[in-house]
């Protein structure tokens, strides 16, 4: 089943391009109804135009979070969307924003890609912090967004090794190539089978009693 998505970006837009290219090649059954950026002149706008996708520029400069989010929501609500896809959107979304995009089970229909193996290295310097820390295995995470930063249920992760002679640039470039494969794949899995993730067990004893052996959480649209 095809999914309707809006992609939110702040910068270059290489993940947006990977998504649009996967759609063009018939590998992803989705339609990008809107590309919305908060930074005027962001590369993502040009990429969207190249693929004939509608765009909206909603600058946050001079607005408080609530004012900006209201404008973003107004743009998004013009479209019939199944999911909001964050692709390098460097703004934290408030719970007020997320409440507009709740699924029937209370999860938010907002998906993010993050350049680390969460929960390690959340924030805006995922690759840099992993590299500076000296990790041998790095990775990327696609997850549902929740009210905490880089925290929601994990949909997919992929790893890569740091090479002996890596610089931060070569390390980032390898990670980015993995992002470009992983994000369209995860979206295609969602289009095909819905949103699936392992249940997060906070209190093992209580959860074990509740679950009675169930270890997967599946939400189908
Ligand atoms: C990507 O590496 C993405 O994982 C990261 O920003 C970059 C955007 O690149 N996102 C975050 O750090 C979110 N916390 P792109 O504009 O070329 O897709």
């Amino acid at each position: 089943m095809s999914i309707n998505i809006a992609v939110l970006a702040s910068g270059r837009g290489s993940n947006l391009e990977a998504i649009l290219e996967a759609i063009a090649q018939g590998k992803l059954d989705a339609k990008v109804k809107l590309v919305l950026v908060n930074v005027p002149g962001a590369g993502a706008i040009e990429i969207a135009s190249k693929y004939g996708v509608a765009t909206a520029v909603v600058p946050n400069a001079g607005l408080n979070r609530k004012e900006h989010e209201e404008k973003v929501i107004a743009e998004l609500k013009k479209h019939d969307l199944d999911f909001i896809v964050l692709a390098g959107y460097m703004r934290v979304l408030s719970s007020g924003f997320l409440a507009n995009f709740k699924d029937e089970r209370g999860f938010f229909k907002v998906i993010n890609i993050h350049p680390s193996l969460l929960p390690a290295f959340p924030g805006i310097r995922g690759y840099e912090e992993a590299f500076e820390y000296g990790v041998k295995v790095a990775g990327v995470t696609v997850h549902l967004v929740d009210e905490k930063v880089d925290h929601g249920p994990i949909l997919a992760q992929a790893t890569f090794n740091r090479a002996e002679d890596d610089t931060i640039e070569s390390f980032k470039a390898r990670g980015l190539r993995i992002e470009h494969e992983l994000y369209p794949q995860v979206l295609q899995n969602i289009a095909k089978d819905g949103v699936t993730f392992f249940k997060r067990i906070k209190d093992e004893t209580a959860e074990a009693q509740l679950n009675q052996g169930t270890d997967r959480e599946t939400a189908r649209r």
Side-chain angles (χ1 to χ4, degrees):
M1 174 176 166
S2 183
I3 50 172
N4 287 341
I5 63 177
V7 179
L8 271 54
S10 298
R12 166 182 64 188
S14 70
N15 277 288
L16 166 68
E17 184 154 33
I19 290 166
L20 289 168
E21 196 49 38
I23 294 171
Q25 291 179 13
K27 294 179 186 164
L28 169 55
D29 194 7
K31 184 155 179 40
V32 181
K33 304 289 268 186
L34 177 71
V35 169
L36 184 146
V37 305
N38 65 310
V39 179
I45 287 288
E46 203 174 312
I47 290 167
S49 307
K50 193 171 101 186
Y51 286 83
V53 173
T55 57
V57 181
V58 185
N60 56 283
L63 301 179
N64 67 34
R65 186 172 305 280
K66 192 162 182 294
E67 289 165 345
H68 181 246
E69 287 188 344
E70 276 168 8
K71 285 176 182 279
V72 173
I73 291 165
E75 288 296 334
L76 294 173
K77 293 268 169 173
K78 290 180 189 167
H79 303 272
D80 178 23
L81 298 172
D82 296 306
F83 292 96
I84 314 293
V85 173
L86 309 182
Y89 187 64
M90 297 309 196
R91 303 270 304 167
V92 173
L93 299 171
S94 73
S95 51
F97 177 97
L98 292 172
N100 287 273
F101 305 101
K102 227 177 208 180
D103 75 11
E104 58 285 352
R105 296 183 320 157
F107 293 103
F108 301 115
K109 295 183 283 186
V110 183
I111 302 164
N112 184 41
I113 189 158
H114 182 76
S116 77
L117 289 174
L118 290 173
F121 312 117
I124 58 168
R125 297 182 70 250
Y127 287 137
E128 287 83 355
E129 287 186 11
F131 188 85
E132 287 160 10
Y133 195 88
V135 302
K136 295 216 169 190
V137 178
V140 306
T141 302
V142 178
H143 65 98
L144 285 187
V145 172
D146 70 6
E147 287 99 339
K148 297 184 190 160
V149 175
D150 299 328
H151 177 269
I154 290 173
L155 303 178
Q157 292 182 304
T159 60
F160 62 98
N161 292 330
R162 174 170 172 173
E164 288 290 333
D165 59 352
D166 261 338
T167 60
I168 181 61
E169 287 76 24
S170 61
F171 180 82
K172 275 169 98 165
R174 190 165 327 113
L176 205 56
R177 280 198 297 277
I178 288 171
E179 292 188 45
H180 298 162
E181 280 174 32
L182 188 66
Y183 218 178
Q185 274 169 18
V186 174
L187 295 173
Q188 175 57 18
N189 290 345
I190 290 172
K192 213 164 122 272
D193 296 326
V195 171
T196 302
F197 49 86
F198 291 115
K199 192 173 279 184
R200 193 164 291 166
I201 298 168
K202 294 193 194 87
D203 173 340
E204 286 184 20
T205 317
E207 284 286 331
Q209 283 165 352
L210 276 174
N211 289 342
Q212 295 178 346
T214 307
D215 69 346
R216 282 178 80 80
E217 182 88 32
T218 304
R220 284 172 200 282
R221 289 184 312 109

Tab-separated table of all heavy atoms in Angstrom, residues 150-201:
chain	number	residue	atom	x	y	z
A	150	ASP	N	15.531	12.434	20.135
A	150	ASP	CA	16.200	11.227	19.624
A	150	ASP	C	15.940	10.022	20.528
A	150	ASP	O	16.862	9.287	20.897
A	150	ASP	CB	17.714	11.473	19.474
A	150	ASP	CG	18.011	12.594	18.495
A	150	ASP	OD1	17.237	12.757	17.530
A	150	ASP	OD2	18.997	13.320	18.685
A	151	HIS	N	14.701	9.783	20.855
A	151	HIS	CA	14.367	8.831	21.914
A	151	HIS	C	13.314	7.781	21.534
A	151	HIS	O	13.272	6.705	22.128
A	151	HIS	CB	13.884	9.633	23.133
A	151	HIS	CG	13.439	8.790	24.275
A	151	HIS	ND1	12.134	8.382	24.443
A	151	HIS	CD2	14.125	8.255	25.308
A	151	HIS	CE1	12.030	7.645	25.525
A	151	HIS	NE2	13.227	7.544	26.071
A	152	GLY	N	12.454	8.031	20.575
A	152	GLY	CA	11.285	7.171	20.350
A	152	GLY	C	11.641	5.766	19.884
A	152	GLY	O	12.812	5.454	19.644
A	153	PRO	N	10.619	4.892	19.739
A	153	PRO	CA	10.833	3.481	19.362
A	153	PRO	C	11.703	3.316	18.111
A	153	PRO	O	11.502	4.002	17.116
A	153	PRO	CB	9.420	2.980	19.094
A	153	PRO	CG	8.528	3.871	19.865
A	153	PRO	CD	9.202	5.205	19.921
A	154	ILE	N	12.639	2.390	18.211
A	154	ILE	CA	13.599	2.181	17.116
A	154	ILE	C	12.987	1.292	16.034
A	154	ILE	O	12.518	0.181	16.305
A	154	ILE	CB	14.895	1.569	17.675
A	154	ILE	CG1	15.621	2.624	18.518
A	154	ILE	CG2	15.799	1.058	16.545
A	154	ILE	CD1	16.839	2.121	19.269
A	155	LEU	N	12.986	1.779	14.812
A	155	LEU	CA	12.436	1.024	13.681
A	155	LEU	C	13.523	0.225	12.966
A	155	LEU	O	13.270	-0.865	12.475
A	155	LEU	CB	11.771	1.981	12.684
A	155	LEU	CG	10.658	2.876	13.256
A	155	LEU	CD1	10.117	3.805	12.177
A	155	LEU	CD2	9.528	2.022	13.827
A	156	ALA	N	14.721	0.794	12.883
A	156	ALA	CA	15.816	0.090	12.206
A	156	ALA	C	17.146	0.715	12.584
A	156	ALA	O	17.220	1.913	12.882
A	156	ALA	CB	15.649	0.177	10.685
A	157	GLN	N	18.179	-0.109	12.588
A	157	GLN	CA	19.538	0.399	12.780
A	157	GLN	C	20.464	-0.324	11.812
A	157	GLN	O	20.230	-1.488	11.469
A	157	GLN	CB	20.015	0.163	14.223
A	157	GLN	CG	19.233	1.020	15.224
A	157	GLN	CD	19.693	0.859	16.656
A	157	GLN	OE1	19.717	-0.253	17.153
A	157	GLN	NE2	20.028	1.947	17.312
A	158	ALA	N	21.491	0.367	11.375
A	158	ALA	CA	22.515	-0.261	10.537
A	158	ALA	C	23.866	0.212	11.040
A	158	ALA	O	24.001	1.348	11.490
A	158	ALA	CB	22.316	0.126	9.075
A	159	THR	N	24.841	-0.676	10.954
A	159	THR	CA	26.155	-0.362	11.523
A	159	THR	C	27.222	-0.249	10.437
A	159	THR	O	27.052	-0.742	9.317
A	159	THR	CB	26.606	-1.471	12.503
A	159	THR	OG1	26.683	-2.695	11.780
A	159	THR	CG2	25.639	-1.608	13.652
A	160	PHE	N	28.296	0.409	10.788
A	160	PHE	CA	29.494	0.397	9.944
A	160	PHE	C	30.711	0.502	10.848
A	160	PHE	O	30.634	1.005	11.971
A	160	PHE	CB	29.468	1.514	8.888
A	160	PHE	CG	29.445	2.920	9.426
A	160	PHE	CD1	30.614	3.667	9.531
A	160	PHE	CD2	28.251	3.524	9.808
A	160	PHE	CE1	30.600	4.978	10.017
A	160	PHE	CE2	28.225	4.825	10.299
A	160	PHE	CZ	29.392	5.548	10.394
A	161	ASN	N	31.831	-0.018	10.357
A	161	ASN	CA	33.065	0.002	11.151
A	161	ASN	C	33.857	1.269	10.874
A	161	ASN	O	33.893	1.749	9.746
A	161	ASN	CB	33.946	-1.200	10.803
A	161	ASN	CG	33.319	-2.497	11.263
A	161	ASN	OD1	32.592	-2.535	12.256
A	161	ASN	ND2	33.559	-3.561	10.523
A	162	ARG	N	34.494	1.757	11.921
A	162	ARG	CA	35.451	2.840	11.700
A	162	ARG	C	36.744	2.227	11.185
A	162	ARG	O	37.258	1.269	11.780
A	162	ARG	CB	35.704	3.582	13.007
A	162	ARG	CG	36.806	4.611	12.850
A	162	ARG	CD	36.905	5.495	14.043
A	162	ARG	NE	38.076	6.345	13.952
A	162	ARG	CZ	38.326	7.319	14.813
A	162	ARG	NH1	37.498	7.546	15.800
A	162	ARG	NH2	39.402	8.061	14.674
A	163	ALA	N	37.253	2.760	10.082
A	163	ALA	CA	38.502	2.238	9.521
A	163	ALA	C	39.690	2.906	10.218
A	163	ALA	O	39.567	4.015	10.744
A	163	ALA	CB	38.551	2.517	8.026
A	164	GLU	N	40.826	2.208	10.214
A	164	GLU	CA	42.047	2.725	10.849
A	164	GLU	C	42.390	4.130	10.365
A	164	GLU	O	42.811	4.985	11.134
A	164	GLU	CB	43.234	1.805	10.516
A	164	GLU	CG	43.212	0.464	11.225
A	164	GLU	CD	43.478	0.589	12.725
A	164	GLU	OE1	44.149	1.559	13.121
A	164	GLU	OE2	42.998	-0.267	13.482
A	165	ASP	N	42.233	4.330	9.047
A	165	ASP	CA	42.675	5.612	8.467
A	165	ASP	C	41.521	6.589	8.249
A	165	ASP	O	41.653	7.557	7.509
A	165	ASP	CB	43.399	5.352	7.138
A	165	ASP	CG	42.509	4.632	6.140
A	165	ASP	OD1	41.388	4.206	6.529
A	165	ASP	OD2	42.911	4.500	4.969
A	166	ASP	N	40.392	6.350	8.905
A	166	ASP	CA	39.259	7.267	8.742
A	166	ASP	C	39.585	8.661	9.257
A	166	ASP	O	40.200	8.826	10.314
A	166	ASP	CB	38.032	6.762	9.527
A	166	ASP	CG	37.027	6.039	8.647
A	166	ASP	OD1	37.051	6.271	7.418
A	166	ASP	OD2	36.226	5.260	9.186
A	167	THR	N	39.113	9.652	8.516
A	167	THR	CA	39.016	11.014	9.032
A	167	THR	C	37.543	11.219	9.360
A	167	THR	O	36.698	10.410	8.961
A	167	THR	CB	39.419	12.035	7.951
A	167	THR	OG1	38.521	11.864	6.836
A	167	THR	CG2	40.851	11.810	7.504
A	168	ILE	N	37.224	12.312	10.019
A	168	ILE	CA	35.806	12.554	10.302
A	168	ILE	C	35.019	12.644	8.985
A	168	ILE	O	33.875	12.177	8.899
A	168	ILE	CB	35.588	13.803	11.211
A	168	ILE	CG1	34.099	14.030	11.512
A	168	ILE	CG2	36.207	15.039	10.628
A	168	ILE	CD1	33.398	12.927	12.240
A	169	GLU	N	35.664	13.158	7.948
A	169	GLU	CA	34.960	13.295	6.659
A	169	GLU	C	34.663	11.933	6.042
A	169	GLU	O	33.540	11.687	5.575
A	169	GLU	CB	35.789	14.139	5.663
A	169	GLU	CG	35.836	15.624	5.960
A	169	GLU	CD	36.774	15.985	7.118
A	169	GLU	OE1	37.724	15.194	7.387
A	169	GLU	OE2	36.549	17.021	7.761
A	170	SER	N	35.650	11.031	6.028
A	170	SER	CA	35.408	9.716	5.411
A	170	SER	C	34.425	8.906	6.259
A	170	SER	O	33.613	8.150	5.732
A	170	SER	CB	36.733	8.954	5.204
A	170	SER	OG	37.375	8.731	6.443
A	171	PHE	N	34.506	9.086	7.582
A	171	PHE	CA	33.609	8.399	8.509
A	171	PHE	C	32.160	8.845	8.261
A	171	PHE	O	31.243	8.034	8.119
A	171	PHE	CB	34.069	8.760	9.926
A	171	PHE	CG	33.289	8.171	11.056
A	171	PHE	CD1	33.530	6.871	11.493
A	171	PHE	CD2	32.334	8.929	11.728
A	171	PHE	CE1	32.826	6.345	12.576
A	171	PHE	CE2	31.638	8.413	12.809
A	171	PHE	CZ	31.884	7.121	13.227
A	172	LYS	N	31.971	10.157	8.137
A	172	LYS	CA	30.628	10.691	7.880
A	172	LYS	C	30.097	10.247	6.523
A	172	LYS	O	28.920	9.917	6.383
A	172	LYS	CB	30.664	12.230	7.890
A	172	LYS	CG	30.533	12.830	9.253
A	172	LYS	CD	30.835	14.311	9.227
A	172	LYS	CE	29.614	15.166	9.165
A	172	LYS	NZ	29.911	16.577	9.509
A	173	ALA	N	30.983	10.255	5.542
A	173	ALA	CA	30.550	9.901	4.183
A	173	ALA	C	30.061	8.451	4.150
A	173	ALA	O	29.057	8.135	3.490
A	173	ALA	CB	31.698	10.098	3.196
A	174	ARG	N	30.769	7.557	4.895
A	174	ARG	CA	30.344	6.147	4.924
A	174	ARG	C	28.994	6.024	5.612
A	174	ARG	O	28.110	5.299	5.175
A	174	ARG	CB	31.410	5.299	5.634
A	174	ARG	CG	31.147	3.815	5.475
A	174	ARG	CD	32.330	2.918	5.834
A	174	ARG	NE	33.598	3.511	5.545
A	174	ARG	CZ	34.493	3.871	6.476
A	174	ARG	NH1	34.258	3.657	7.746
A	174	ARG	NH2	35.630	4.406	6.141
A	175	GLY	N	28.830	6.772	6.702
A	175	GLY	CA	27.549	6.739	7.415
A	175	GLY	C	26.413	7.252	6.545
A	175	GLY	O	25.324	6.665	6.501
A	176	LEU	N	26.686	8.316	5.831
A	176	LEU	CA	25.637	8.925	5.005
A	176	LEU	C	25.177	7.975	3.901
A	176	LEU	O	23.978	7.878	3.595
A	176	LEU	CB	26.168	10.241	4.411
A	176	LEU	CG	25.123	11.283	4.030
A	176	LEU	CD1	24.222	11.660	5.205
A	176	LEU	CD2	25.807	12.529	3.489
A	177	ARG	N	26.137	7.234	3.325
A	177	ARG	CA	25.744	6.255	2.287
A	177	ARG	C	24.803	5.218	2.887
A	177	ARG	O	23.858	4.778	2.237
A	177	ARG	CB	26.999	5.573	1.712
A	177	ARG	CG	27.715	6.426	0.684
A	177	ARG	CD	28.661	5.599	-0.186
A	177	ARG	NE	29.749	4.983	0.565
A	177	ARG	CZ	30.892	5.608	0.901
A	177	ARG	NH1	31.093	6.859	0.529
A	177	ARG	NH2	31.830	4.980	1.572
A	178	ILE	N	25.061	4.848	4.124
A	178	ILE	CA	24.190	3.871	4.794
A	178	ILE	C	22.814	4.479	5.064
A	178	ILE	O	21.782	3.833	4.872
A	178	ILE	CB	24.880	3.349	6.070
A	178	ILE	CG1	26.025	2.444	5.623
A	178	ILE	CG2	23.919	2.606	6.976
A	178	ILE	CD1	26.941	1.998	6.702
A	179	GLU	N	22.798	5.741	5.479
A	179	GLU	CA	21.507	6.422	5.667
A	179	GLU	C	20.671	6.365	4.389
A	179	GLU	O	19.465	6.108	4.426
A	179	GLU	CB	21.726	7.899	6.025
A	179	GLU	CG	22.340	8.137	7.378
A	179	GLU	CD	22.348	9.614	7.753
A	179	GLU	OE1	21.320	10.296	7.567
A	179	GLU	OE2	23.385	10.093	8.251
A	180	HIS	N	21.333	6.602	3.265
A	180	HIS	CA	20.609	6.687	1.996
A	180	HIS	C	20.016	5.351	1.569
A	180	HIS	O	19.058	5.309	0.809
A	180	HIS	CB	21.537	7.230	0.894
A	180	HIS	CG	22.017	8.621	1.176
A	180	HIS	ND1	23.107	9.182	0.566
A	180	HIS	CD2	21.540	9.566	2.041
A	180	HIS	CE1	23.289	10.411	1.033
A	180	HIS	NE2	22.353	10.661	1.927
A	181	GLU	N	20.628	4.266	2.037
A	181	GLU	CA	20.038	2.941	1.771
A	181	GLU	C	18.941	2.637	2.776
A	181	GLU	O	17.889	2.113	2.433
A	181	GLU	CB	21.108	1.858	1.901
A	181	GLU	CG	21.993	1.720	0.692
A	181	GLU	CD	23.114	0.736	0.950
A	181	GLU	OE1	22.921	-0.239	1.708
A	181	GLU	OE2	24.204	0.957	0.399
A	182	LEU	N	19.237	2.940	4.047
A	182	LEU	CA	18.344	2.504	5.122
A	182	LEU	C	16.998	3.238	5.127
A	182	LEU	O	15.942	2.595	5.294
A	182	LEU	CB	19.042	2.712	6.480
A	182	LEU	CG	18.306	2.118	7.684
A	182	LEU	CD1	18.273	0.595	7.613
A	182	LEU	CD2	18.953	2.565	8.999
A	183	TYR	N	17.020	4.546	4.923
A	183	TYR	CA	15.770	5.312	5.102
A	183	TYR	C	14.687	4.871	4.102
A	183	TYR	O	13.573	4.544	4.511
A	183	TYR	CB	16.062	6.818	5.010
A	183	TYR	CG	15.251	7.677	5.982
A	183	TYR	CD1	15.431	9.063	6.047
A	183	TYR	CD2	14.292	7.123	6.842
A	183	TYR	CE1	14.708	9.860	6.933
A	183	TYR	CE2	13.570	7.914	7.721
A	183	TYR	CZ	13.781	9.276	7.761
A	183	TYR	OH	13.053	10.065	8.642
A	184	PRO	N	15.025	4.809	2.805
A	184	PRO	CA	13.992	4.330	1.870
A	184	PRO	C	13.528	2.902	2.178
A	184	PRO	O	12.337	2.594	2.053
A	184	PRO	CB	14.693	4.387	0.500
A	184	PRO	CG	15.789	5.378	0.681
A	184	PRO	CD	16.242	5.243	2.095
A	185	GLN	N	14.466	2.052	2.620
A	185	GLN	CA	14.084	0.659	2.958
A	185	GLN	C	13.082	0.618	4.101
A	185	GLN	O	12.100	-0.114	4.060
A	185	GLN	CB	15.307	-0.138	3.406
A	185	GLN	CG	16.093	-0.763	2.284
A	185	GLN	CD	17.435	-1.310	2.809
A	185	GLN	OE1	17.625	-1.507	4.007
A	185	GLN	NE2	18.357	-1.535	1.893
A	186	VAL	N	13.335	1.413	5.129
A	186	VAL	CA	12.436	1.427	6.287
A	186	VAL	C	11.061	1.947	5.870
A	186	VAL	O	10.029	1.394	6.263
A	186	VAL	CB	13.010	2.305	7.425
A	186	VAL	CG1	12.006	2.436	8.558
A	186	VAL	CG2	14.304	1.715	7.935
A	187	LEU	N	11.064	2.985	5.050
A	187	LEU	CA	9.769	3.535	4.604
A	187	LEU	C	9.018	2.510	3.765
A	187	LEU	O	7.793	2.379	3.866
A	187	LEU	CB	9.988	4.838	3.828
A	187	LEU	CG	10.571	5.990	4.668
A	187	LEU	CD1	10.925	7.181	3.787
A	187	LEU	CD2	9.594	6.411	5.769
A	188	GLN	N	9.756	1.759	2.952
A	188	GLN	CA	9.102	0.717	2.159
A	188	GLN	C	8.541	-0.381	3.064
A	188	GLN	O	7.432	-0.886	2.835
A	188	GLN	CB	10.081	0.146	1.126
A	188	GLN	CG	9.545	-1.035	0.317
A	188	GLN	CD	8.236	-0.716	-0.434
A	188	GLN	OE1	7.886	0.449	-0.641
A	188	GLN	NE2	7.511	-1.745	-0.820
A	189	ASN	N	9.273	-0.742	4.103
A	189	ASN	CA	8.757	-1.736	5.055
A	189	ASN	C	7.460	-1.239	5.690
A	189	ASN	O	6.519	-2.020	5.898
A	189	ASN	CB	9.773	-2.022	6.165
A	189	ASN	CG	10.966	-2.791	5.646
A	189	ASN	OD1	10.928	-3.352	4.562
A	189	ASN	ND2	12.044	-2.792	6.413
A	190	ILE	N	7.417	0.033	5.993
A	190	ILE	CA	6.211	0.606	6.605
A	190	ILE	C	5.062	0.578	5.593
A	190	ILE	O	3.928	0.235	5.941
A	190	ILE	CB	6.496	2.039	7.110
A	190	ILE	CG1	7.435	1.976	8.319
A	190	ILE	CG2	5.207	2.767	7.454
A	190	ILE	CD1	7.946	3.315	8.792
A	191	ALA	N	5.362	0.946	4.346
A	191	ALA	CA	4.318	0.925	3.315
A	191	ALA	C	3.751	-0.485	3.163
A	191	ALA	O	2.553	-0.678	2.955
A	191	ALA	CB	4.901	1.418	1.983
A	192	LYS	N	4.624	-1.467	3.302
A	192	LYS	CA	4.226	-2.868	3.089
A	192	LYS	C	3.560	-3.471	4.332
A	192	LYS	O	2.496	-4.077	4.244
A	192	LYS	CB	5.488	-3.669	2.745
A	192	LYS	CG	5.265	-4.811	1.785
A	192	LYS	CD	6.595	-5.265	1.217
A	192	LYS	CE	6.858	-6.719	1.508
A	192	LYS	NZ	7.490	-7.077	2.720
A	193	ASP	N	4.189	-3.286	5.473
A	193	ASP	CA	3.778	-4.045	6.664
A	193	ASP	C	3.369	-3.197	7.857
A	193	ASP	O	3.094	-3.747	8.932
A	193	ASP	CB	4.948	-4.938	7.129
A	193	ASP	CG	5.303	-5.979	6.092
A	193	ASP	OD1	4.388	-6.451	5.400
A	193	ASP	OD2	6.488	-6.304	5.956
A	194	GLY	N	3.390	-1.887	7.740
A	194	GLY	CA	3.089	-1.041	8.892
A	194	GLY	C	4.340	-0.813	9.742
A	194	GLY	O	5.436	-1.197	9.372
A	195	VAL	N	4.119	-0.184	10.876
A	195	VAL	CA	5.223	0.207	11.761
A	195	VAL	C	5.486	-0.905	12.766
A	195	VAL	O	4.585	-1.288	13.507
A	195	VAL	CB	4.849	1.509	12.506
A	195	VAL	CG1	5.867	1.831	13.580
A	195	VAL	CG2	4.718	2.661	11.526
A	196	THR	N	6.725	-1.418	12.781
A	196	THR	CA	7.045	-2.536	13.680
A	196	THR	C	8.299	-2.223	14.488
A	196	THR	O	9.281	-1.724	13.930
A	196	THR	CB	7.306	-3.813	12.854
A	196	THR	OG1	6.138	-4.081	12.085
A	196	THR	CG2	7.581	-5.013	13.750
A	197	PHE	N	8.236	-2.509	15.769
A	197	PHE	CA	9.431	-2.294	16.608
A	197	PHE	C	9.352	-3.200	17.823
A	197	PHE	O	8.290	-3.719	18.168
A	197	PHE	CB	9.536	-0.827	17.039
A	197	PHE	CG	8.279	-0.237	17.613
A	197	PHE	CD1	7.972	-0.366	18.953
A	197	PHE	CD2	7.397	0.452	16.785
A	197	PHE	CE1	6.814	0.190	19.473
A	197	PHE	CE2	6.226	0.999	17.308
A	197	PHE	CZ	5.927	0.869	18.649
A	198	PHE	N	10.504	-3.392	18.444
A	198	PHE	CA	10.534	-4.158	19.690
A	198	PHE	C	10.007	-3.298	20.820
A	198	PHE	O	10.378	-2.123	20.938
A	198	PHE	CB	11.962	-4.611	20.026
A	198	PHE	CG	12.487	-5.645	19.076
A	198	PHE	CD1	13.559	-5.357	18.247
A	198	PHE	CD2	11.905	-6.896	19.008
A	198	PHE	CE1	14.043	-6.301	17.360
A	198	PHE	CE2	12.386	-7.848	18.128
A	198	PHE	CZ	13.449	-7.550	17.304
A	199	LYS	N	9.180	-3.909	21.616
A	199	LYS	CA	8.634	-3.189	22.765
A	199	LYS	C	9.771	-2.825	23.718
A	199	LYS	O	10.661	-3.627	23.965
A	199	LYS	CB	7.647	-4.111	23.480
A	199	LYS	CG	6.798	-3.427	24.494
A	199	LYS	CD	5.739	-4.373	25.031
A	199	LYS	CE	4.560	-4.472	24.079
A	199	LYS	NZ	3.482	-5.319	24.628
A	200	ARG	N	9.738	-1.611	24.228
A	200	ARG	CA	10.773	-1.195	25.176
A	200	ARG	C	10.361	-1.650	26.574
A	200	ARG	O	9.281	-1.318	27.041
A	200	ARG	CB	10.932	0.324	25.137
A	200	ARG	CG	12.153	0.811	25.840
A	200	ARG	CD	12.472	2.231	25.451
A	200	ARG	NE	12.927	2.351	24.064
A	200	ARG	CZ	13.016	3.500	23.419
A	200	ARG	NH1	12.671	4.615	24.018
A	200	ARG	NH2	13.428	3.524	22.164
A	201	ILE	N	11.224	-2.412	27.206
A	201	ILE	CA	10.876	-2.965	28.515
A	201	ILE	C	11.519	-2.105	29.591
A	201	ILE	O	12.733	-2.053	29.722
A	201	ILE	CB	11.353	-4.427	28.623
A	201	ILE	CG1	10.634	-5.252	27.556
A	201	ILE	CG2	11.096	-4.964	30.028
A	201	ILE	CD1	11.206	-6.623	27.349
